[in-house]
């Protein structure tokens, strides 16, 4: 009995030690977030351990665990018809408002790309299913949640190509007519890595003269928009914040680019953007110079991380590091001038905060209308916690404002 009691106490101490993560008081519901992060962190640690001993790819166990949370068969409700289909060979889940007021009218349309670091999650995950269902209902819209390929089965540019091809197919008179979608009221949206795909696809379609129907607006939720500088002020400030830590960001990037996970320390030290790596790297860095793009109050006392010496072989192993399709922030000004008006959500306690803020600044300089919706108490991924039995307050608030902007601008 004493052994069992002693073991229970030790286990409780170990769990408490593992779960405890000092969080700033300004973050939303820190104790609830701490517990949520501990669960996610435990799953990730098991997955990385399994990878290290050769049992699976880095996110293999996470994928297996997340598969339990999928809504595999489409389930319609009184206000929303849900079906699974494909566009240009890319699977998608479609949520159609069945509001009687719109039976004779054309509807809004939203093409949505889920997050998950190009390696995780699904349009069929419960959180995204609930989110898109709610969007269709409140917007009286057709929401198309795209099920693009994930790493390791798909590597860059597969995810981008899926997003682009699905978009091109959806933005045709035939498909829009099939779903009674107004061709002049179609938005593209996504969160995190999905926001990356939404921004990249939006840029390409904006300059594609063969695509007569364009997205009207883009709504980017805490998007990842560049992989060249992993030491922006927000990445330095929030490198250990839930839900997306700096190390995890680098792991996702390497998985997307089919690079070795051994390169994580090199990316985190900005060795892929060092001063000795030539004019092409220098020109790309100039487009994401946060000392000019971010307000001084956001920069705080953080300094640029610019190693004198880097490894040229990093760009040989990861040639897409300078590709605008993975880093939409590297787009030329001529491209940015023609992209649709943007909504960009950012969170103070998020490594990706500055990607969104820098993109907003570059779009404003190009003359594109931009709405920045910033949450001082927000954290990465917060909007996905707006649904379920115990939603985060900031999640409900951010989703409400996201919906309000879409209603007013789409």
């Amino acid at each position: 009995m004493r052994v069992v009691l002693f073991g229970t106490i030790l286990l409780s101490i170990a769990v408490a030690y593992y779960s405890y993560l000092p969080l700033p008081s300004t973050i939303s519901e820190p104790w609830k977030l701490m517990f949520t992060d501990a669960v996610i962190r435990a799953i990730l640690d098991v997955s990385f351990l399994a990878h290290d001993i050769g049992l699976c790819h880095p996110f293999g166990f996470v994928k297996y665990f997340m598969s339990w949370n999928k809504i595999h068969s489409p389930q319609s409700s009184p206000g929303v018809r849900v079906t699974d289909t494909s566009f240009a060979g890319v699977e998608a889940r479609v949520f159609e408002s069945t509001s009687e007021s719109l039976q004779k009218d054309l509807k809004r349309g939203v093409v949505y790309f889920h997050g998950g670091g190009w390696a995780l999650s699904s349009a069929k995950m419960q959180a995204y299913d609930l989110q898109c269902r709610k969007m269709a209902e409140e917007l009286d819209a057709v929401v198309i949640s795209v099920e693009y390929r994930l790493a390791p089965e798909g590597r860059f540019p597969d995810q981008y190509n899926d997003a682009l091809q699905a978009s091109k197919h959806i933005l045709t008179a035939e498909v829009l007519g099939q779903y009674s979608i107004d061709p002049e009221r179609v938005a593209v949206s996504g969160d995190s890595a999905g926001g990356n795909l939404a921004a990249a696809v939006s840029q390409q379609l904006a300059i594609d003269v063969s695509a007569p129907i364009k997205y009207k607006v883009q709504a980017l939720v805490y998007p990842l928009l560049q992989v060249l500088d992993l030491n922006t002020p927000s990445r330095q400030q929030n490198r250990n914040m839930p839900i997306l830590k700096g190390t995890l960001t680098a792991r996702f990037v390497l998985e997307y680019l089919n690079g070795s996970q051994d390169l994580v320390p090199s990316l985190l030290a900005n060795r892929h953007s060092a001063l000795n790596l030539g004019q092409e790297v220098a020109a790309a860095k100039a487009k994401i110079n946060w000392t000019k793009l971010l307000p001084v109050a956001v920069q705080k006392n953080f300094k640029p991380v610019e190693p004198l010496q880097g490894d040229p072989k990093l760009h040989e192993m990861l040639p897409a590091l300078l590709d605008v399709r993975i880093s939409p922030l590297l787009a030329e000004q001529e491209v940015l001038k023609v992209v649709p008006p943007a909504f960009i959500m950012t969170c103070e306690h998020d490594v990706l905060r500055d990607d969104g803020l820098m993109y907003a600044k570059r779009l404003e300089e190009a003359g594109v209308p931009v709405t920045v919706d910033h949450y001082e108490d927000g954290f990465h991924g917060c909007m996905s916690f707006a649904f379920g039995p115990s939603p985060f307050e900031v999640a409900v608030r951010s989703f409400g404002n996201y919906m309000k902007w879409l209603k007013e601008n789409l």
Side-chain angles (χ1 to χ4, degrees):
M1 186 65 181
R2 289 183 178 179
V3 173
V4 173
L5 179 60
F6 184 68
T8 302
I9 293 173
L10 285 180
L11 180 60
S12 300
I13 293 172
V15 170
Y17 178 80
Y18 185 86
S19 301
Y20 181 72
L21 179 69
L23 296 175
S25 60
T26 52
I27 204 166
S28 178
E29 301 174 76
W31 285 101
K32 187 194 295 187
L33 180 58
M34 192 183 302
F35 175 76
T36 303
D37 179 68
V39 173
I40 295 172
R41 190 156 28 97
I43 297 168
L44 286 166
D45 286 347
V46 171
S47 194
F48 297 148
L49 177 61
H51 168 257
D52 291 342
I53 61 179
L55 295 180
C56 63
H57 64 84
F59 297 97
F61 178 76
V62 185
K63 278 190 171 183
Y64 174 72
F65 182 86
M66 294 178 76
S67 68
W68 301 348
N69 195 239
K70 281 186 179 181
I71 300 175
H72 293 280
S73 300
Q75 300 175 9
S76 298
S77 57
V80 181
R81 179 168 56 250
V82 184
T83 55
D84 286 344
T85 186
S86 64
F87 301 96
V90 182
E91 294 183 6
R93 178 158 286 182
V94 182
F95 303 80
E96 299 176 75
S97 167
T98 56
S99 170
E100 293 182 3
S101 64
L102 287 177
Q103 290 301 311
K104 298 180 181 180
D105 299 326
L106 293 178
K107 307 171 186 176
R108 296 181 176 103
V110 180
V111 177
Y112 196 88
F113 301 114
H114 66 78
W118 309 284
L120 300 174
S121 205
S122 164
K124 299 174 183 178
M125 293 290 296
Q126 186 176 41
Y128 286 114
D129 186 277
L130 291 173
Q131 175 185 324
C132 292
R133 187 182 301 270
K134 191 71 171 176
M135 290 170 64
E137 188 175 17
E138 290 197 11
L139 290 172
D140 283 330
V142 177
V143 179
I144 301 174
S145 188
V146 179
E147 189 84 313
Y148 55 88
R149 281 172 287 178
L150 300 175
E153 290 75 24
R155 306 283 192 176
F156 177 83
D158 292 341
Q159 288 85 333
Y160 167 83
N161 287 339
D162 283 356
L164 180 62
Q165 293 309 313
S167 292
K168 283 184 173 182
H169 191 196
I170 293 165
L171 293 175
T172 60
E174 179 183 2
V175 172
L176 296 179
Q178 175 186 346
Y179 290 101
S180 299
I181 298 174
D182 187 341
E184 296 184 357
R185 293 204 300 170
V186 187
V188 63
S189 185
D191 63 292
S192 195
N196 170 278
L197 294 173
V201 166
S202 184
Q203 290 180 1
Q204 179 57 36
L205 287 176
I207 61 174
D208 186 350
V209 295
S210 69
I213 302 176
K214 311 288 188 181
Y215 284 124
K216 181 181 181 181
V217 295
Q218 55 181 320
L220 313 178
V221 179
Y222 31 78
L224 188 158
L225 297 171
Q226 59 87 24
V227 299
L228 199 57
D229 185 356
L230 300 193
N231 285 278
T232 58
S234 64
R235 292 180 192 247
Q236 294 185 52
Q237 171 183 297
N238 300 306
R239 65 175 78 251
N240 292 314
M241 285 292 110
I243 296 288
L244 182 66
K245 296 176 175 59
T247 302
L248 184 57
T249 307
R251 282 185 175 274
F252 277 132
V253 170
L254 288 167
E255 186 72 356
Y256 187 31
L257 299 184
N258 199 20
S260 169
Q261 294 290 318
D262 294 338
L263 297 177
V264 166
S266 294
L267 263 60
L268 291 177
N270 275 358
R271 290 208 242 332
H272 60 303
S273 58
L275 297 175
N276 70 315
L277 294 183
Q279 184 56 40
E280 187 178 9
V281 173
K285 285 178 61 180
K287 295 176 183 175
I288 56 170
N289 182 354
W290 55 260
T291 65
K292 294 182 179 180
L293 292 172
L294 295 176
V296 174
V298 172
Q299 296 181 32
K300 300 180 180 176
N301 295 319
F302 295 107
K303 304 297 180 184
V305 175
E306 299 179 309
L308 294 176
Q309 297 294 319
D311 185 358
K313 292 182 179 179
L314 283 171
H315 286 269
E316 295 176 13
M317 293 184 284
L318 305 169
L321 284 172
L322 297 179
D323 197 311
V324 70
R325 292 173 295 178
I326 190 175
S327 295
L329 255 170
L330 300 183
E332 298 294 341
Q333 198 77 345
E334 290 71 23
V335 174
L336 296 181
K337 287 180 180 179
V338 295
V339 301
F343 168 93
I344 302 176
M345 182 189 299
T346 59
C347 295
E348 180 62 25
H349 305 288
D350 179 9
V351 290
L352 302 184
R353 179 200 66 191
D354 295 343
D355 284 22
L357 294 179
M358 288 192 290
Y359 197 49
K361 180 64 174 178
R362 289 208 64 205
L363 289 176
E364 288 172 354
E365 292 176 346
V368 176
V370 181
T371 298
V372 175
D373 190 27
H374 182 71
Y375 293 87
E376 287 292 333
D377 58 343
F379 53 90
H380 188 81
C382 64
M383 200 172 82
S384 292
F385 295 96
F387 313 96
S390 181
F392 280 80
E393 189 277 332
V394 68
V396 175
R397 182 161 27 100
S398 62
F399 180 72
N401 289 336
Y402 167 76
M403 293 296 296
K404 182 175 183 289
W405 187 89
L406 285 172
K407 287 179 182 177
E408 294 175 351
N409 292 275
L410 182 60

